[in-house]
Amino acid sequence: MSLRELVDPKLVFADVDAGSRERALRCLAERLALEGAVPSADDLHAKLLEREQQGSTAIGNGVAIPHCKLPRLDRVVVAVGLAPDGVAIDTPDHQPVRLFFLVVSPESSPAAHLQTLAAIAKWLKGDRNLERIRAATTSDEVRACLSGDGVGGNRG
């Protein structure tokens, strides 16, 4: 399962409003609901905040992978958001989060949830992927990074 296959191109956002963790998660939840990917922005936001209370989903290097499970969902939904100004979140390396991989899974699909998180982790470890996506400034550039083309087509 590749990340490019998991991320719906409509769910790549290069301008996440990120004054705070809560605001960034609210912005992402509203956009997913607007695109019809989830039934309710409020339900998604509440579940994401509930998950963050268990422990920060920020993993360091300016990356967070907020994730949760929702009822009434029929497939795993993966969105990518860039927060150009960064968000101060409790991270292992104290770097602001600028890249969000949001994963929302059906409650009935724990295996798919874990496989999706693993695919994101694998992609992040890939040669220069994080460096390339950090250089992205538009949704098109982010999508190119996910497909392996990199910003400006540089596969290096």
Side-chain angles (χ1 to χ4, degrees):
M1 175 177 342
S2 77
L3 193 55
R4 177 180 44 81
E5 295 166 335
L6 290 170
V7 177
D8 183 331
K10 302 183 304 193
L11 303 180
V12 175
F13 312 108
D15 58 348
V16 173
D17 180 7
S20 68
R21 172 180 60 186
E22 290 76 15
R23 203 155 134 191
L25 295 176
R26 167 60 72 184
C27 178
L28 288 167
E30 287 175 353
R31 292 203 176 167
L32 265 65
L34 187 64
E35 291 293 338
V38 297
S40 165
D42 290 337
D43 290 349
L44 175 55
H45 185 243
K47 286 283 193 176
L48 291 170
L49 290 178
E50 183 181 304
R51 170 57 187 88
E52 290 293 324
Q53 293 303 316
Q54 297 171 12
S56 177
T57 57
I59 62 170
N61 290 318
V63 178
I65 310 173
H67 56 279
C68 66
K69 296 175 187 152
L70 281 179
R72 302 183 327 230
L73 210 58
D74 59 359
R75 63 180 177 87
V76 176
V77 174
V78 181
V80 179
L82 293 180
D85 297 330
V87 184
I89 296 178
D90 182 25
T91 61
D93 58 5
H94 308 292
Q95 289 186 25
V97 172
R98 289 187 171 83
L99 176 62
F100 291 86
F101 286 95
L102 175 61
V103 178
V104 188
S105 303
E107 287 181 334
S108 61
S109 300
H113 187 78
L114 292 175
Q115 289 170 345
T116 302
L117 293 173
I120 293 168
K122 180 179 178 182
W123 185 88
L124 286 168
K125 290 178 182 177
D127 185 37
R128 297 187 60 219
N129 284 341
L130 188 53
E131 178 185 334
R132 286 184 190 116
I133 204 165
R134 279 187 184 144
T137 58
T138 68
S139 296
D140 287 340
E141 289 176 352
V142 172
R143 284 189 287 271
C145 290
L146 296 175
S147 69
D149 295 336
V151 175
N154 179 10
R155 296 190 78 146

